[in-house]
Amino acid sequence: PFQVVGGKVKKPGKRGRKPAKIDLKAKLERSRQSARECRARKKLRYQYLEELVSSRERAICALREELEMYKQWCMAMDQGKIPSEIKALLTGEEQGKAQQNSAKLAKAGKTEANSNP
């Protein structure tokens, strides 16, 4: 009744857990529950992807509008016209530079005044 396999003595019969009589109804219910969960995960994944696609589409539209605005500006400048937005940017930069220069001059004047007794 004993077998010798690879130097080990084996007893007849199966090892491990004996297959309990699996309740078929319980098994079917677990399978159904697993399928429900799988469908729910799939639905969530598709919702996430749809939201991602729509947000990217909105970003693309915004960028296209911005590109069109820049094209209009370029066409206007080719005709010798300066768009008001660019004028505002330039005057804002010039004012900023003038303020920086006046601040530098004021600092330079203070240091010269302090260095000469």
Side-chain angles (χ1 to χ4, degrees), residues 73-91:
W73 287 6
C74 289
M75 287 170 52
M77 288 195 297
D78 287 344
Q79 295 171 357
K81 301 172 187 171
I82 299 176
S84 58
E85 297 89 351
I86 294 178
K87 282 183 183 177
L89 285 172
L90 291 174
T91 56

Side-chain angles (χ1 to χ4, degrees), residues 18 30 32 46-47 52 56 60 75 85 88 97 103 109:
K18 293 182 181 175
R30 281 196 310 270
R32 288 185 190 116
Y46 274 88
Q47 286 175 349
L52 195 64
R56 298 286 163 90
I60 288 169
M75 287 170 52
E85 297 89 351
K97 286 181 183 177

Side-chain angles (χ1 to χ4, degrees), residues 21-30:
K21 291 189 178 180
I22 299 170
D23 187 7
L24 192 58
K25 287 184 180 180
K27 184 177 180 182
L28 284 173
E29 185 53 39
R30 281 196 310 270

Side-chain angles (χ1 to χ4, degrees), residues 13-74:
K14 295 182 181 175
R15 289 191 52 188
R17 288 178 25 181
K18 293 182 181 175
K21 291 189 178 180
I22 299 170
D23 187 7
L24 192 58
K25 287 184 180 180
K27 184 177 180 182
L28 284 173
E29 185 53 39
R30 281 196 310 270
S31 176
R32 288 185 190 116
Q33 181 63 29
S34 177
R36 278 192 289 270
E37 290 169 1
C38 180
R39 286 190 295 271
R41 284 191 305 270
K42 184 177 179 181
K43 186 177 179 181
L44 284 173
R45 185 169 50 249
Y46 274 88
Q47 286 175 349
Y48 165 74
L49 290 172
E50 286 173 2
E51 289 172 8
L52 195 64
V53 166
S54 64
S55 71
R56 298 286 163 90
E57 286 174 345
R58 285 192 300 272
I60 288 169
C61 288
L63 288 169
R64 282 192 175 135
E65 288 174 9
E66 188 178 350
L67 178 63
E68 191 58 38
M69 178 185 68
Y70 292 139
K71 283 182 182 177
Q72 295 295 327
W73 287 6
C74 289

